[in-house]
Amino acid sequence: MMRTDGREQLPDWPSGDDAQWAAEFEFALALGHTPPDGLAEQVLEEARLTTAEAGLPAREVLGDPAAYADAVAAERIDEAHRSSVDVEGFAAGDRFTSSLLVAGAQVALFGVVLWASTGLWIPVGWPTGGAGLLLALLVVLVTGVIPELRAAGRLRAGRAAMGCAAVLVVACAAGFTAIPRGPQVSIPAPSLFVVGALLGVLGWRVPAEPVGRWFRGRAVPAEAIRSDDEAWLTRLSALLRGRHGVSAGSARRCVAEARDHLAASGGSAAGEFGDVEVYALRLSEGPGKSRRAARAEVLPTALFTVGMLWWGFDLVSDPEPASLWFWTKVVVLVVGVWAWVTTAWSLWRKLRPGGAGSSGGAGDLGAKG
């Protein structure tokens, strides 16, 4: 979630325990609060100076690192930044840049497996080659583009992208299985490493903030939101549903209450409620937020389940124990099943009545004047 540019100076901690405290603090801050770039490094430098002046370990001076991260977040991460973070804790642009890293790793892994199983030169027909390219595009679309569009409040564009993803799934399946391979050409396996490395470098080096601005800057013009109450209310509904995972019914109730308030007061939406993104954050915060975050994981988990079922069916329908590719697929299936079980168990605990994420829900949202 938290991105760094590789130029920060790490504090020189006097002991291994202090360095461990710093690592735990940074992890807790990044995982639980999605801080702005540079905040963790700034706080750690301040903490190092404080502990050096006191001459005591960081745990004695500053306490538990997770609790200290909570305190820092409450004091130094303002609403403007928190309002840009989605319900799962991703800042604008992070989903897309991470998807490039995932796609790059996928391409590089395919290169390793194909090199080991078929040799230096890989025979490729246009259906399988095209399907491979579409698969990488599908990964970026599903893990990067669609979540960014939803977090930007661009729900219609997100639905269109989901339709495109469904088409790509069919095209990939057809390219790998149904379409005859036809004439083939040979390409060197290391070329896939180069492509994977380029995607990885692109995902690592491209700043997330401009990417997030690109996705979110094409939603509704800021001037229209400030001057048009209906545009402000429409944007509020889109942010609640997309960025903060609020149900459509709860979002409609919030908008209706805000509209009633405006009718009674005679004021403008921007004047009465302020910035629409900050107001959406205030409405969405509360005991139901963790449950909504868990609900946001249901669809990706379901899609992952379908993928694992297809992978397993493909494995048992045409077993080739003498092939390295077969055993690679076995390893991927075992790791995938383990990840699925872990994720499903975590979701069940969060979503079941009385579970970790069930203390309240989106239904307790209401307009706040």
Side-chain angles (χ1 to χ4, degrees):
M1 297 181 192
M2 182 178 61
R3 294 171 56 85
T4 59
D5 59 8
R7 293 174 295 183
E8 68 275 3
Q9 298 296 318
L10 298 179
D12 183 17
W13 296 96
S15 70
D17 183 66
D18 282 352
Q20 178 65 26
W21 182 95
E24 292 176 14
F25 163 80
E26 191 167 12
F27 179 78
L29 187 67
L31 185 65
H33 304 286
T34 315
D37 290 344
L39 178 61
E41 291 75 23
Q42 180 182 349
V43 172
L44 285 175
E45 178 61 22
E46 294 170 0
R48 185 189 66 81
L49 294 175
T50 299
T51 55
E53 291 175 2
L56 296 172
R59 292 183 193 274
E60 293 187 24
V61 178
L62 302 172
D64 178 72
Y68 191 68
D70 292 340
V72 167
E75 179 181 350
R76 302 176 67 167
I77 301 180
D78 59 21
E79 285 187 318
H81 176 77
R82 288 191 291 116
S83 69
S84 69
V85 176
D86 70 19
V87 69
E88 295 181 78
F90 286 89
D94 279 352
R95 297 269 202 177
F96 183 77
T97 53
S98 297
S99 72
L100 295 176
L101 293 172
V102 172
Q106 174 201 60
V107 172
L109 176 62
F110 279 3
V112 171
V113 173
L114 291 173
W115 192 352
S117 59
T118 64
L120 176 63
W121 293 93
I122 307 169
V124 178
W126 73 263
T128 53
L133 294 175
L134 292 180
L135 183 59
L137 179 62
L138 179 64
V139 170
V140 174
L141 182 64
V142 171
T143 62
V145 174
I146 293 175
E148 290 286 356
L149 289 173
R150 287 194 60 83
R154 300 172 62 187
L155 304 183
R156 184 177 300 176
R159 287 190 289 267
M162 290 179 67
C164 293
V167 172
L168 286 179
V169 169
V170 175
C172 288
F176 284 126
T177 59
I179 301 177
R181 294 186 178 183
Q184 297 185 351
V185 297
S186 295
I187 62 172
S191 63
L192 296 180
F193 304 161
V194 175
V195 175
L198 289 175
L199 287 172
V201 169
L202 188 64
W204 182 255
R205 297 301 299 175
V206 169
E209 186 178 348
V211 173
R213 272 201 311 270
W214 187 88
F215 278 102
R216 298 185 180 190
R218 284 159 175 73
V220 181
E223 183 58 37
I225 295 174
R226 286 193 294 267
S227 60
D228 185 345
D229 287 350
E230 282 304 316
W232 192 98
L233 293 170
T234 299
R235 181 66 177 155
L236 173 65
S237 176
L239 289 170
L240 288 173
R241 293 178 59 193
R243 187 173 302 174
H244 300 292
V246 175
S247 67
S250 294
R252 281 195 298 270
R253 286 193 293 271
C254 289
V255 171
E257 291 177 15
R259 183 176 280 112
D260 291 343
H261 177 89
L262 294 176
S265 67
S268 67
E272 292 288 320
F273 301 116
D275 182 81
V276 65
E277 297 201 358
V278 172
Y279 187 68
L281 169 72
R282 293 171 182 170
L283 288 178
S284 67
E285 288 189 319
K289 185 174 182 179
S290 59
R291 187 175 178 85
R292 294 197 307 275
R295 284 207 306 265
E297 299 177 32
V298 171
L299 180 58
T301 302
L303 294 175
F304 183 67
T305 302
V306 173
M308 285 294 98
L309 290 174
W310 175 81
W311 192 269
F313 175 78
D314 180 66
L315 186 66
V316 300
S317 63
D318 187 23
E320 298 179 358
S323 168
L324 176 63
W325 180 238
F326 171 82
W327 291 107
T328 301
K329 291 197 290 186
V330 170
V331 172
V332 171
L333 182 63
V334 170
V335 173
V337 169
W338 174 81
W340 179 86
V341 170
T342 303
T343 303
W345 172 250
S346 175
L347 282 179
W348 183 80
R349 290 181 62 245
K350 293 175 182 177
L351 294 174
R352 67 185 174 88
S358 63
S359 57
D364 61 0
L365 297 178
K368 301 178 182 179

